[in-house]
Amino acid sequence: MTNKIIVESFNDKAIYSHILKRYCRSDTDIESIVNDPDWIDLDGLEETKLTTKLEEILTDIIKAKATPKIGIIIDLDMSSVKDRITFLNSICSKAFNIAIDIERENEFKTFLLPDYDLDFELAYCFSGLNGSGELEHLLKEIADTQSSHHANCLETGWKPCLASKGVTVKDKDLRKLWMDFYKRMDCLSNKQRKQAKENVKWENFLVLHPEKFNFEKDIPELNNIKQFLTSFANS
């Protein structure tokens, strides 16, 4: 049975898959990853959606009589790591119908399914920056902001202009616009912009311009993500 990684969105899947394949091989692994994990995107973090996906995984475990590794990566948003762990423990306990008592991020723990004499490994990882926020916060931190003139002008020109008209722009909306402008206007060539709709999609953009995001930068949250994904690189 293939190992599972649950993420919030299709975009998250493309980004984390890129990190896994390019930055998470062991020192002795010189070949490409043979067994890519099964990526499951929730299309938005909702308790009901996550519970359903976990219940489906439980059914698969029982049918296959397998012992997979299961990882969950979600944004911290405005929560602490402790609160996020409590949140996920509650959902996983309900879905697997056993007590899930993970205490730390990025630490796999084995749980037994006593009715089936099977077990599985489970761990959580959280994205954000400086202990809060979303994956977009982290991506902006590792972007090449020295050449992000179009995107930066959204903050220095467009946002103040709207403010002068009494219009407020939400930070979340501005981050998403910044990222779109950065990829579309500051990174794509004139030729690539002719197919911008496809080329700004993460799964395509990171193939065209992997150098535009420094995934080797020393940031705690990024280091945690790479360590977490490395657990799936050779399993």
Side-chain angles (χ1 to χ4, degrees), residues 1-27:
M1 182 176 175
T2 307
N3 293 325
K4 313 287 184 181
I5 302 179
I6 299 174
V7 296
E8 291 192 42
S9 70
F10 182 79
N11 286 334
D12 290 7
K13 170 186 172 182
I15 295 163
Y16 294 134
S17 179
H18 173 79
I19 296 173
L20 172 60
K21 291 177 179 178
R22 291 182 64 96
Y23 301 98
C24 297
R25 299 175 186 173
S26 69
D27 293 338

Side-chain angles (χ1 to χ4, degrees), residues 27-80:
D27 293 338
T28 58
D29 182 17
I30 59 175
E31 301 295 332
S32 61
I33 296 169
V34 177
N35 298 315
D36 202 33
D38 181 13
W39 295 89
I40 301 171
D41 78 83
L42 299 171
D43 191 26
L45 179 61
E46 294 179 10
E47 184 173 342
T48 302
K49 289 181 180 179
L50 180 52
T51 302
T52 299
K53 293 297 184 184
L54 290 168
E55 288 173 343
E56 291 173 357
I57 291 174
L58 174 60
T59 299
D60 290 343
I61 291 173
I62 296 169
K63 286 182 178 179
K65 296 183 179 180
T67 56
K69 184 175 291 184
I70 303 167
I72 303 175
I73 313 177
I74 62 173
D75 292 337
L76 282 169
D77 292 325
M78 299 304 294
S79 300
S80 66

Side-chain angles (χ1 to χ4, degrees), residues 35-220:
N35 298 315
D36 202 33
D38 181 13
W39 295 89
I40 301 171
D41 78 83
L42 299 171
D43 191 26
L45 179 61
E46 294 179 10
E47 184 173 342
T48 302
K49 289 181 180 179
L50 180 52
T51 302
T52 299
K53 293 297 184 184
L54 290 168
E55 288 173 343
E56 291 173 357
I57 291 174
L58 174 60
T59 299
D60 290 343
I61 291 173
I62 296 169
K63 286 182 178 179
K65 296 183 179 180
T67 56
K69 184 175 291 184
I70 303 167
I72 303 175
I73 313 177
I74 62 173
D75 292 337
L76 282 169
D77 292 325
M78 299 304 294
S79 300
S80 66
V81 169
K82 182 179 179 180
D83 287 343
R84 273 315 203 201
I85 290 175
T86 300
F87 169 72
L88 291 179
N89 277 345
S90 175
I91 295 175
C92 291
S93 295
K94 178 181 177 182
F96 292 117
N97 198 29
I98 57 175
I100 301 295
D101 56 356
I102 289 175
E103 297 179 351
R104 288 177 289 277
E105 176 187 9
N106 216 2
E107 184 173 280
F108 280 89
K109 188 170 182 178
T110 300
F111 294 94
L112 177 67
L113 298 169
D115 293 340
Y116 305 98
D117 194 26
L118 296 168
D119 58 38
F120 62 92
E121 292 183 76
L122 178 66
Y124 312 141
C125 187
F126 308 109
S127 57
L129 186 66
N130 299 323
S132 65
E134 306 172 335
L135 179 56
E136 284 82 2
H137 287 91
L138 179 58
L139 290 171
K140 186 177 178 183
E141 183 69 16
I142 64 173
D144 180 12
T145 53
Q146 296 301 312
S147 59
S148 57
H149 307 306
H150 291 85
N152 290 343
C153 283
L154 285 170
E155 297 175 326
T156 59
W158 180 71
K159 182 180 179 180
C161 178
L162 287 178
S164 71
K165 310 295 183 184
V167 179
T168 302
V169 181
K170 294 181 180 179
D171 288 343
K172 185 182 180 80
D173 293 336
L174 183 59
R175 278 195 306 276
K176 291 186 181 298
L177 281 171
W178 189 97
M179 196 60 63
D180 183 71
F181 263 56
Y182 174 66
K183 291 189 292 181
R184 185 184 303 264
M185 303 303 297
D186 291 315
C187 298
L188 294 183
S189 65
N190 290 332
K191 182 179 179 180
Q192 289 168 344
R193 284 181 205 155
K194 293 178 181 179
Q195 294 181 310
K197 184 176 180 180
E198 289 299 314
N199 287 337
V200 296
K201 292 180 179 179
W202 282 106
E203 69 269 26
N204 297 327
F205 181 84
L206 289 171
V207 173
L208 291 170
H209 293 290
E211 79 284 355
K212 294 299 182 178
F213 290 92
N214 182 11
F215 288 101
E216 294 184 303
K217 196 169 182 178
D218 186 13
I219 299 173

